[in-house]
Amino acid sequence: MAGRVDALYFFLIGISVFFSLLIAGLIVFYAVKYRRRGANDIGANIHGSVILEIGWSVIPLLITMVIFVWGASVFFAMARPPDEALNIYAVGKQWMWKFQHLDGQREINELHVPVGRAVKMIMTSEDVIHDFFVPAFRVKADVLPGRYTTVWFEPTKPGRYHLFCAEYCGTKHSGMVGEVVVMEPSEYQTWLSGGVPEGSLASTGAKLFADLACNTCHRPDSQGRGPVLEGLYGKTVTMQNGENVLFDEAYIRESILNPTAKVAAGFQPIMPTFQGLVSEEQLLQLIEYVKSLKAQAEVPTARPVTPGPAAGENTPVKK
Ligand code: CUA
């Protein structure tokens, strides 16, 4: 993305420099040309010019529309990570960056990524607002407590790149720095296989899901008191009040911490809150487990089976 961001940036600089020099130059030129030469000089009586006024309205409009369309296209490209992007979670904390890979690797203030692969960062904060900033990638986004923000980038050159916190977050804000280590794919594979203390994020989440007894209500067979979670990720779910909500990371997180906020249609608001019981990192594990239930559920539905009569009733998925 760096090339596209820079091209737009230099275009803006070019436009600014061109008009600054033009205006400053004309001010000096006319000041000299039309200076008062004698005590009897009287200025010409001019009552405006329609052509001139249309000109200085239309030309800036065209220039700003070019900037708008160009800027919007870069913005959309930056806001839409490709589907095949590698997902990595980040948790900001006074004063460090914690990274969590899907395979289970955790890192602090260092982020290892492969070259030539799109990487999507899903970020949140444990305390105050931080800001994930990798200048070399032209990537910058606020990291907020209580919600997930995302950025994506595709490293094109192996190397080590500065990572900064770009939001004043307290005493050691300036020390909240790190490095993004971009590796050749083979090196990255070696790095990945070197020491995974726990299992993958989803498998740790599965264990936590059982430890917290989530599985007593959220059962795969639609006999539980909570919605069946299999296959829900990425779908739109209808709530009790008729509202449609996207079943994404933010919704899963909210439903764990504040279960009565948005209750799926056909269910009672009986789930207890897990606020204070699960950390931000454990939330990521649970989310990744719920996301992984998608793949398992897609296998049976791919076969031509007739769904049972109860399935449609208890599965709050909007068709
Ligand atoms: Cu975190 Cu500044």
Side-chain angles (χ1 to χ4, degrees):
M1 208 54 77
R4 292 187 66 183
V5 172
D6 289 358
L8 177 61
Y9 182 70
F10 287 125
F11 176 76
L12 293 175
I13 296 272
I15 292 269
S16 304
V17 167
F18 173 78
F19 280 103
S20 300
L21 291 180
L22 180 71
I23 291 166
L26 287 178
I27 288 172
V28 172
F29 175 74
Y30 288 135
V32 172
K33 187 175 178 197
Y34 297 112
R35 71 186 184 278
R36 199 174 194 198
R37 288 161 208 264
N40 297 330
D41 276 5
I42 295 171
N45 197 359
I46 295 169
H47 288 282
S49 156
V50 173
I51 292 175
L52 201 56
E53 292 202 17
I54 290 175
W56 71 43
S57 301
V58 169
I59 293 170
L61 175 72
L62 293 178
I63 295 172
T64 47
M65 287 317 281
V66 167
I67 295 170
F68 166 65
V69 172
W70 190 350
S73 83
V74 174
F75 176 82
F76 281 125
M78 292 180 99
R80 290 177 180 154
D83 286 341
E84 72 281 4
L86 182 68
N87 285 2
I88 298 176
Y89 289 101
V91 177
K93 181 192 166 166
Q94 286 170 318
W95 288 275
M96 65 174 81
W97 292 105
K98 297 190 279 189
F99 298 106
Q100 177 81 67
H101 296 255
L102 293 193
D103 290 343
Q105 290 83 1
R106 294 144 164 267
E107 307 186 71
I108 287 179
N109 292 344
E110 252 195 357
L111 172 62
H112 288 77
V113 288
V115 71
R117 174 98 193 261
V119 176
K120 177 181 167 191
M121 305 296 304
I122 305 169
M123 310 181 295
T124 190
S125 166
E126 254 177 52
D127 35 46
V128 299
I129 301 178
H130 302 279
D131 191 297
F132 181 86
F133 181 31
V134 187
F137 301 167
R138 313 295 191 269
V139 150
K140 190 164 182 247
D142 272 358
V143 175
L144 304 155
R147 75 165 87 163
Y148 293 113
T149 50
T150 59
V151 286
W152 79 276
F153 53 84
E154 187 174 321
T156 52
K157 230 198 258 175
R160 304 178 80 93
Y161 302 92
H162 286 299
L163 159 68
F164 294 110
C165 175
E167 181 72 49
Y168 180 67
C169 56
T171 316
K172 291 184 189 150
H173 154 72
S174 62
M176 192 170 162
V177 293
E179 270 188 329
V180 180
V181 184
V182 178
M183 312 172 92
E184 293 291 352
S186 57
E187 263 182 90
Y188 178 70
Q189 281 311 322
T190 315
W191 179 83
L192 271 186
S193 54
V196 183
E198 301 118 58
S200 74
L201 211 50
S203 68
T204 317
K207 190 174 170 297
L208 191 58
F209 195 80
D211 289 349
L212 295 169
C214 311
N215 54 357
T216 55
C217 290
H218 294 286
R219 292 166 43 162
D221 58 5
S222 81
Q223 299 303 308
R225 290 184 292 170
V228 175
L229 300 176
E230 272 76 0
L232 273 193
Y233 180 74
K235 299 234 166 69
T236 306
V237 180
T238 307
M239 298 295 113
Q240 272 181 341
N241 61 5
E243 189 191 352
N244 288 326
V245 171
L246 181 66
F247 193 90
D248 60 358
E249 287 94 352
Y251 178 69
I252 301 172
R253 183 181 191 284
E254 183 187 54
S255 297
I256 296 170
L257 299 179
N258 189 7
T260 50
K262 296 190 185 105
V263 180
F267 293 94
Q268 296 303 312
I270 51 169
M271 178 170 157
T273 175
F274 288 84
Q275 185 95 50
L277 295 176
V278 285
S279 66
E280 287 296 340
E281 274 132 324
Q282 287 176 321
L283 278 169
L284 299 180
Q285 295 163 358
L286 288 171
I287 287 171
E288 206 45 48
Y289 171 63
V290 173
K291 283 167 81 170
S292 75
L293 294 172
K294 186 181 190 175
Q296 292 168 13
E298 270 171 358
V299 180
T301 49
R303 280 182 279 142
V305 289
T306 321
E313 208 174 87
N314 263 358
T315 313
V317 178
K318 196 168 176 272
K319 294 227 175 82

